[in-house]
């Protein structure tokens, strides 16, 4: 395990020779000056050296740095016969990393194999010393020791050889002394002479056997180690291969993944491609279709263009005709306007002849309470159709009144409105109109004006008709209709459409020439009839606010609905503003004197004043008085624009049929008669009817004229069309005739030509005839 030590050289005196195999002499601090001689006594082989460190090299590591290797033998001569010991020093300095078994060799001393298949690496590893000490050798008479190194695998190798003389008895004494050296323990053994030989023989025999067994064991262990190393290397190789395999598998996995993603991509791309292809194909076919259609269109258009080019002369003719027609039409329009203006005027005249103030009397039916209380009807409707109404009052003579119209209890709302309608609609022609309901409380004033939801009155029907006419005339006139609802109570104006009650007192102001208005009042714009009922309801609902009894309150105030109409004529640009007042007056009954106290008295006085002011204004207007007392009450002041002048007024006198109300009924009828301004009498009536008849005839005539004119216009248009078509036909005829003329001319030409040729022939023939005649006469001459 360790290299040679100084202490090992105790028997230096016995050392005959120490050879540094493969190296040079090494100077030592040994008693003998040259301890290690340079390499000699060898036959064959080569020397090698290493510069690597010898591990545990002992005191002389350089001994192991050099070696002889190859096929070699050492032979030492000139030795005195006797016993010697040999020390052999080895180190594996070539194959320092093995493997085991790379180098194994036998060592033979004096032809005896003393080491079999020595594998230095296997025993100590590389660059480590291995000493084999005290090998016995007997030198015979030839005085030589031979050491043979024989390789089993690879070359044998040795670093140093030491020959020592045995300190014991020389070999010659061996036989006499009877002692031997045990090869194993290297101790002297005393052997008796007779047994000595046999023992020696046995010993040598056993030694040989042991050697053989050892060598066999060595071989086996070498084989084992070889096999082991092979297994190890194979395992290593296997591991390496496994690793490689694993790497390859990982790589394969990666590749597979990459392949998968790429396949996916490819699929997507191909799908996209397919889709795109389809889309493009569809687009292309679509475009092709379009191109085809466009080509067809183009062909059609070019045909049309040709036609148009041909039609241009016709067109210009037509344009002229159309122009003429337009001129005619303009002319007719003008005439139509003139006629319309005339119609308006005539309508107005008719209304005026009926009286700018008209009074209709309406009597309500007897109520259930009245019949059950036994009250009788005092009204006589015999002359109702002629506008006569009679009151038979208990025994006294029947008193008769004449009105423009009398309605019996059987006449319904529609009939009542029908007579008011022409007056109402004149608001659309720009006239101001007033309609009142006058009468004792409970006689049907509110019923006539407002009506009920199922039985609507004049207010609603008026607006309904206004919208209807506005719609009919919308091509020529635009109407703008708005509505205000007022109440006059105790000479104070209240806006029934105002959403918040204002503390400000409403006053009447003069806005322009002859037009009055109440600043701050709500004018609800109504676009169609559906909005009207709501507005009217809002008005009548707010009338109830602040009063305990609606009927009582309403009977003591005037409820006034004002419809404002702004019209714009789209043909001549004329603009008009007109108003229609629909007034539900306060009850006209006179108070019993006992009741006349406090507030009731004030109310009664106010009502009285305003109603008599109304009567005064109307009668002043009727008598064409220079002063009309409009300002005597809020009621007449508000109505100033709509009473008098061009304005028209209608009063419904509402009466009760009951004998209980007879005196109030008479008073109402008297008031109404005063308003009407016409005394009863047949003369007036006739005059009236004659005038009316005249105007009616005029109207009829003008209507017929208009009709005739329209008819003639239509005829003119028809004629025009006929003439146009005839002109076209004639043109065609003319063309045909021209063609025929041309044909005939050409025929004529050919005929004259043939005539000329035949004439020529004739003259030729007559020439020949003459010649013949001459020849004939000549011959006759000869004969005679
Ligand atoms: P005024 O407003 O004059 O006080 P109203 O309009 O309130 O009177 O009418 C009183 C009652 O008589 C109401 O119930 C009403 O329905 C009824 N009435 C009035 N006139 C008629 C009529 N022509 N036909 C049927 N009922 C009527
Ligand atoms: Mg009423």
């Amino acid at each position: 395990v360790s290299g040679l030590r100084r202490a090992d050289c105790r028997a230096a005196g016995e050392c005959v020779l120490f050879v540094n195999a493969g190296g040079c002499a090494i100077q030592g601090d040994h008693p003998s000056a040259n301890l290690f001689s340079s390499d000699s006594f060898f036959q064959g082989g080569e020397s090698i050296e290493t510069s690597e460190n010898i591990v545990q090299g002992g005191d002389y590591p350089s001994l192991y740095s050099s070696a002889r290797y190859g096929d070699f033998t050492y032979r030492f001569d000139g030795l005195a016969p006797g016993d010697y010991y040999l020390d052999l020093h080895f180190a594996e300095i070539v194959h320092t990393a093995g493997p085991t078994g790379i180098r194994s060799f036998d060592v033979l001393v004096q032809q005896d194999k003393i080491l079999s298949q020595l594998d230095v690496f296997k025993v100590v590893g590389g660059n480590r010393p291995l000493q084999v000490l005290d090998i016995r050798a007997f030198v015979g008479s030839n005085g030589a020791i031979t050491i043979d190194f024989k390789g089993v695998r690879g070359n044998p190798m040795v670093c140093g050889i030491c020959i020592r003389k045995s300190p014991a008895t020389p070999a010659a004494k061996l036989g006499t002394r009877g002692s031997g050296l045990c090869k194993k323990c290297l101790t002297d053994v005393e052997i008796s002479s007779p047994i000595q030989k046999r023992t020696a023989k046995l010993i040598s025999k056993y030694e040989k056997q042991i050697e053989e067994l050892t060598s066999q064991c060595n071989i086996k262990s070498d084989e084992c180690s070889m096999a082991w190393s092979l297994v190890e290397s194979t395992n290593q190789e296997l591991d390496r291969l496994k690793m490689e395999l694993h790497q390859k598998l990982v790589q394969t996995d990666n590749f597979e993944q990459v392949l998968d993603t790429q396949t996916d991509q490819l699929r997507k791309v191909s799908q996209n491609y397919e889709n795109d292809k389809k889309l493009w194909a569809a687009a292309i076919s679509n475009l092709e279709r379009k191109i085809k259609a466009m080509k067809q269109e183009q062909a059609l258009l070019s045909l049309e263009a040709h036609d148009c080019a041909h039609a241009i002369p016709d067109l210009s003719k037509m344009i002229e005709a159309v122009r003429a027609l337009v001129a005619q039409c303009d002319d007719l329009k003008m005439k139509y306007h003139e006629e319309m203006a005339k119609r308006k005027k005539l309508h107005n005249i008719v209304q005026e002849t009926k009286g700018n103030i008209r009074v209709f009397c309406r009597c309500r039916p007897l109520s259930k309470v009245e019949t059950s209380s036994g009250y009788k009807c005092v009204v006589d409707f015999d002359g109702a159709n002629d506008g006569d109404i009679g009151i038979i009052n208990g025994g006294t003579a029947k008193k008769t009144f004449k009105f423009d119209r009398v309605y019996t209890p059987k006449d319904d709302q529609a009939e009542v409105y029908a007579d008011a309608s022409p007056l109402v609609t004149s608001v659309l022609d720009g006239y101001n109109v007033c309609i009142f309901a006058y009468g004792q409380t409970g006689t049907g004033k509110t019923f006539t004006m407002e009506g009920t939801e199922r039985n609507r009155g004049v207010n609603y029907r008026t607006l309904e008709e206004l919208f209807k006419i506005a719609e009919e005339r919308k091509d020529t006139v635009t109407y703008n209709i708005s509505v205000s609802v007022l109440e006059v109570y105790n000479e104070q104006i209240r806006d029934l459409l105002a959403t918040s009650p204002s503390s400000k007192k409403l006053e009447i102001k003069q806005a322009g020439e002859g037009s009055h208005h109440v600043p701050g009042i709500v004018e609800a714009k109504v676009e169609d009839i559906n909005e009207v009922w709501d507005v009217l309801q809002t008005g009548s609902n707010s009338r109830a606010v602040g009063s305990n009894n609606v009927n009582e309150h309403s009977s003591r105030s005037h409820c006034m609905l004002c419809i404002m109409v702004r019209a714009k004529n789209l043909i001549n640009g004329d603009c008009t503003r007109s108003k229609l007042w629909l007034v539900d007056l306060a009850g006209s009954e006179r108070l019993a004197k006992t009741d006349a106290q406090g507030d009731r008295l004030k109310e009664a006085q106010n009502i009285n004043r305003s109603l008599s002011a109304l009567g005064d204004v109307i009668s002043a207007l009727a008598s064409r008085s220079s002063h009309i007392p409009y300002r005597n009450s809020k009621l007449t002041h508000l109505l100033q624009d709509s009473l008098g002048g061009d304005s028209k007024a209608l009063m419904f006198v509402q009466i009760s049929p009951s004998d209980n109300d007879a005196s109030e009924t008479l008073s109402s009828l008297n008031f109404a008669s005063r308003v009407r301004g016409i005394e009863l009498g047949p003369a007036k009536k006739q005059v009236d009817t004659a005038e009316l008849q005249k105007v009616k005839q005029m109207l009829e005539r003008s209507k017929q004229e208009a009709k005739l004119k329209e008819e003639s216009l239509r005829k003119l248009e028809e004629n025009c069309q006929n003439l146009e078509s005839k002109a076209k036909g004639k043109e065609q005829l003319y063309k045909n005739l021209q063609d025929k003329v041309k044909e005939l001319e050409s025929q004529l030409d050919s005929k004259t030509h043939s005539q000329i040729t035949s004439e020529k022939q004739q003259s030729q023939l007559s020439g020949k005839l003459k010649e013949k005649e001459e020849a004939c006469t000549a011959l006759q001459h000869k004969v005679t």
Side-chain angles (χ1 to χ4, degrees):
V1 176
S2 168
L4 180 66
R5 284 180 216 279
R6 208 163 286 128
D8 296 337
C9 302
R10 62 197 181 298
E14 297 160 12
C15 180
V16 178
L17 190 64
F18 205 131
V19 177
N20 181 13
C24 49
I26 301 170
Q27 291 293 329
D29 48 358
H30 205 267
S32 121
N34 244 353
L35 180 59
F36 307 109
S37 63
S38 63
D39 194 12
S40 52
F41 307 108
F42 57 82
Q43 285 169 2
E46 283 172 66
S47 61
I48 47 163
E49 263 181 277
T50 180
S51 57
E52 283 176 37
N53 179 42
I54 304 300
V55 184
Q56 292 184 330
D59 293 329
Y60 309 102
S62 56
L63 174 67
Y64 301 98
S65 302
S66 63
R68 174 152 301 276
Y69 87 103
D71 230 349
F72 59 92
T73 307
Y74 275 87
R75 181 187 172 86
F76 303 95
D77 286 316
L79 295 167
D83 284 322
Y84 288 83
Y85 289 116
L86 298 178
D87 300 330
L88 297 179
H89 296 268
F90 300 97
E92 178 56 64
I93 58 170
V94 180
H95 301 294
T96 54
T100 312
I102 196 167
R103 190 194 305 285
S104 66
F105 53 92
D106 297 339
V107 180
L108 292 88
V109 176
Q110 308 292 53
Q111 313 299 324
D112 285 336
K113 196 192 267 180
I114 53 111
L115 290 171
S116 172
Q117 293 194 15
L118 174 66
D119 184 346
V120 178
F121 182 80
K122 189 186 159 193
V123 182
V124 291
N127 282 337
R128 282 171 183 276
L130 174 68
Q131 302 180 48
V132 179
L133 301 172
D134 300 334
I135 303 164
R136 276 190 113 170
F138 179 72
V139 176
S141 56
N142 63 352
I145 296 177
T146 55
I147 309 170
D148 291 317
F149 294 86
K150 282 199 176 133
V152 178
R153 182 173 304 123
N155 289 314
M157 198 166 92
V158 69
C159 294
I161 303 169
C162 180
I163 303 174
R164 285 183 285 120
K165 194 136 172 59
S166 171
T169 16
K173 287 183 211 167
L174 237 161
T176 53
R177 288 255 316 266
S179 72
L181 197 68
C182 174
K183 263 195 184 165
K184 279 282 161 214
C185 59
L186 299 176
T187 45
D188 285 330
V189 186
E190 288 289 331
I191 309 158
S192 62
S193 192
I195 311 161
Q196 225 174 22
K197 269 187 191 166
R198 242 177 42 206
T199 319
K201 250 188 197 169
L202 274 171
I203 286 169
S204 67
K205 190 182 149 198
Y206 285 133
E207 274 176 355
K208 258 187 192 160
Q209 275 181 354
I210 288 164
E211 259 174 30
E212 264 171 29
L213 284 171
T214 320
S215 72
Q216 270 178 11
C217 176
N218 278 342
I219 288 164
K220 291 291 169 198
S221 68
D222 284 353
E223 275 174 8
C224 269
S225 69
M226 285 263 290
W228 178 246
S229 69
L230 215 68
V231 166
E232 267 188 351
S233 65
T234 315
N235 272 341
Q236 276 173 8
E237 184 75 2
L238 207 64
D239 283 350
R240 200 176 54 76
L241 286 172
K242 267 186 189 166
M243 286 271 283
E244 258 176 40
L245 190 68
H246 181 68
Q247 279 174 1
K248 295 274 172 202
L249 280 174
V250 170
Q251 268 181 359
T252 319
D253 278 358
N254 286 345
F255 281 139
E256 269 174 9
Q257 272 176 12
V258 170
L259 193 70
D260 278 355
T261 52
Q262 281 185 354
T263 328
D264 275 359
Q265 275 177 3
L266 190 70
R267 204 176 295 137
K268 267 184 207 158
V269 166
S270 57
Q271 232 168 37
N272 284 350
Y273 170 73
E274 285 298 323
N275 287 348
D276 284 358
K277 211 165 127 185
K278 270 183 203 160
L279 283 177
W280 283 112
I284 286 167
S285 67
N286 200 8
L287 280 173
E288 276 172 357
R289 247 185 291 129
K290 274 186 189 164
I291 287 168
K292 222 179 181 180
M294 278 163 91
K295 270 184 186 164
Q296 280 175 357
E297 240 172 70
Q298 198 220 359
L300 280 176
L301 279 173
S302 63
L303 273 178
E304 266 175 40
H306 275 288
D307 286 356
C308 277
H310 287 310
I312 284 169
D314 285 353
L315 205 68
S316 53
K317 261 184 218 160
M318 265 159 80
I319 287 168
E320 266 171 39
V322 168
R323 264 189 205 140
L325 279 173
V326 168
Q328 239 180 11
C329 188
D330 281 348
D331 189 44
L332 285 171
K333 248 190 199 169
M334 243 169 57
K335 277 181 186 161
Y336 170 76
H337 279 303
E338 280 164 17
E339 287 305 318
M340 278 299 281
K342 266 189 204 167
R343 183 199 64 78
K344 243 186 196 178
K345 245 188 206 163
L346 287 171
H347 179 75
N348 200 36
I349 290 168
V350 171
Q351 296 300 320
E352 265 169 21
T353 48
K354 280 184 185 173
N356 263 348
I357 295 163
R358 259 169 290 162
V359 182
F360 295 168
C361 179
R362 189 179 194 187
C363 181
R364 71 160 167 79
L366 266 174
S367 71
K368 273 182 190 157
V369 184
E370 283 166 338
T371 25
S372 61
S373 310
Y375 292 119
K376 295 260 157 30
C377 177
V378 290
V379 185
D380 168 27
F381 296 107
D382 289 347
N385 282 341
D386 296 328
D388 292 330
I389 191 163
I391 306 293
I392 314 139
N393 200 3
T396 56
K398 178 171 114 179
K399 194 158 185 336
T400 316
F401 297 88
K402 178 92 189 158
F403 294 109
D404 296 292
R405 190 83 168 77
V406 170
Y407 303 104
T408 66
K410 285 173 201 147
D411 292 329
D412 64 5
Q413 300 281 68
E415 276 170 285
V416 171
Y417 176 71
D419 291 313
S421 158
L423 195 81
V424 154
T425 52
S426 68
V427 78
L428 294 179
D429 292 335
Y431 294 99
N432 287 342
V433 180
C434 251
I435 296 175
F436 308 96
Y438 177 93
Q440 180 193 359
T441 298
T443 50
K445 296 186 293 295
T446 308
F447 184 81
T448 297
M449 299 310 285
E450 281 181 20
T452 56
E453 178 133 27
R454 281 162 146 222
N455 231 344
R456 292 184 182 180
V458 173
N459 293 0
Y460 182 83
R461 287 170 196 267
T462 297
L463 279 158
E464 195 174 41
E465 188 162 19
L466 291 187
F467 280 114
K468 205 179 103 204
I469 296 172
E471 176 63 26
E472 281 167 8
R473 295 189 190 169
K474 74 173 176 208
D475 291 337
T476 49
V477 190
T478 52
Y479 290 106
N480 195 327
I481 297 174
S482 53
V483 174
S484 295
V485 188
L486 304 180
E487 184 190 59
V488 178
Y489 174 70
N490 272 345
E491 288 301 287
Q492 273 176 16
I493 301 167
R494 208 175 126 213
D495 185 356
L496 296 183
L497 292 185
T499 42
S500 57
S502 94
S503 55
K504 226 182 125 196
K505 222 172 152 190
L506 292 169
E507 289 299 342
I508 305 155
K509 293 266 154 65
Q510 184 147 9
E513 207 187 305
S515 99
H516 289 73
H517 81 129
V518 182
I521 199 150
V522 175
E523 291 183 9
K525 195 163 181 296
V526 280
E527 301 281 358
D528 61 88
I529 189 64
N530 298 325
E531 295 173 25
V532 167
W533 188 248
D534 292 341
V535 173
L536 298 184
Q537 281 310 111
T538 314
S540 69
N541 287 346
S542 54
R543 206 176 172 192
V545 174
S547 66
N548 304 331
N549 185 327
V550 182
N551 278 334
E552 243 180 56
H553 174 82
S554 69
S555 70
R556 276 175 254 125
S557 65
H558 310 297
C559 179
M560 307 172 73
L561 170 66
C562 181
I563 301 169
M564 285 144 288
V565 178
R566 287 187 189 83
K568 185 175 178 175
N569 190 316
L570 297 175
I571 296 168
N572 56 19
D574 284 353
C575 287
T576 57
R577 277 169 75 105
S578 41
K579 271 188 210 168
L580 168 60
W581 283 101
L582 297 157
V583 187
D584 181 0
L585 290 168
S588 61
E589 63 274 14
R590 287 148 301 168
L591 277 178
K593 273 182 185 158
T594 44
D595 287 348
Q597 280 170 0
D599 283 350
R600 289 296 309 244
L601 179 64
K602 196 181 156 200
E603 268 176 13
Q605 283 169 346
N606 279 323
I607 294 165
N608 236 346
R609 190 188 306 152
S610 56
L611 288 178
S612 54
L614 182 65
D616 294 344
V617 165
I618 293 173
S619 65
L621 283 169
S623 63
R624 304 193 192 279
S625 160
S626 57
H627 174 71
I628 316 286
Y630 290 114
R631 302 213 169 202
N632 283 354
S633 76
K634 282 270 163 4
L635 176 70
T636 46
H637 198 182
L638 271 171
L639 298 176
Q640 187 165 351
D641 320 338
S642 311
L643 283 174
D646 260 351
S647 322
K648 300 159 206 314
L650 167 63
M651 181 177 279
F652 286 103
V653 183
Q654 301 283 148
I655 55 168
S656 152
S658 167
D659 50 1
N660 189 36
D661 297 321
S663 75
E664 282 299 337
T665 303
L666 281 171
S667 135
S668 290
L669 291 175
N670 280 326
F671 178 84
S673 293
R674 186 160 79 93
V675 162
R676 197 171 178 240
I678 299 161
E679 289 297 321
L680 268 177
K684 191 100 183 183
K685 180 180 160 191
Q686 270 163 7
V687 169
D688 265 356
T689 41
E691 246 176 60
L692 189 70
Q693 217 54 40
K694 239 194 246 166
V695 174
K696 263 188 185 167
Q697 276 169 2
M698 264 164 72
L699 186 71
E700 208 52 47
R701 231 179 288 143
S702 58
K703 265 187 193 169
Q704 267 170 2
E705 264 173 39
K707 244 187 204 169
L708 283 174
K709 276 188 184 162
E710 258 174 45
E711 189 64 27
S712 63
L713 184 69
R714 208 164 45 76
K715 272 185 187 159
L716 271 175
E717 267 176 30
E718 262 174 28
N719 277 351
C720 217
Q721 275 175 358
N722 282 347
L723 282 172
E724 257 177 46
S725 59
K726 271 183 193 167
K728 266 186 197 165
K730 291 225 166 129
E731 244 173 58
Q732 193 61 39
L733 215 73
Y734 176 65
K735 261 189 199 165
N736 291 349
L737 283 172
Q738 266 183 339
D739 285 349
K740 266 188 189 168
V741 166
K742 268 182 195 163
E743 212 181 288
L744 287 171
E745 269 177 355
S746 65
Q747 276 179 10
L748 198 69
D749 272 357
S750 63
K751 287 218 169 141
T752 44
H753 188 73
S754 59
Q755 200 185 357
I756 287 165
T757 48
S758 58
E759 269 175 14
K760 268 184 191 168
Q761 277 175 357
Q762 202 186 358
S763 66
Q764 274 173 6
L765 284 172
S766 57
K768 275 181 188 173
L769 195 69
K770 255 184 192 172
E771 274 172 21
K772 292 242 164 124
E773 269 175 8
E774 272 170 20
C776 198
T777 47
L779 280 172
Q780 273 177 350
H781 255 287
K782 274 180 187 175
V783 171
T784 52

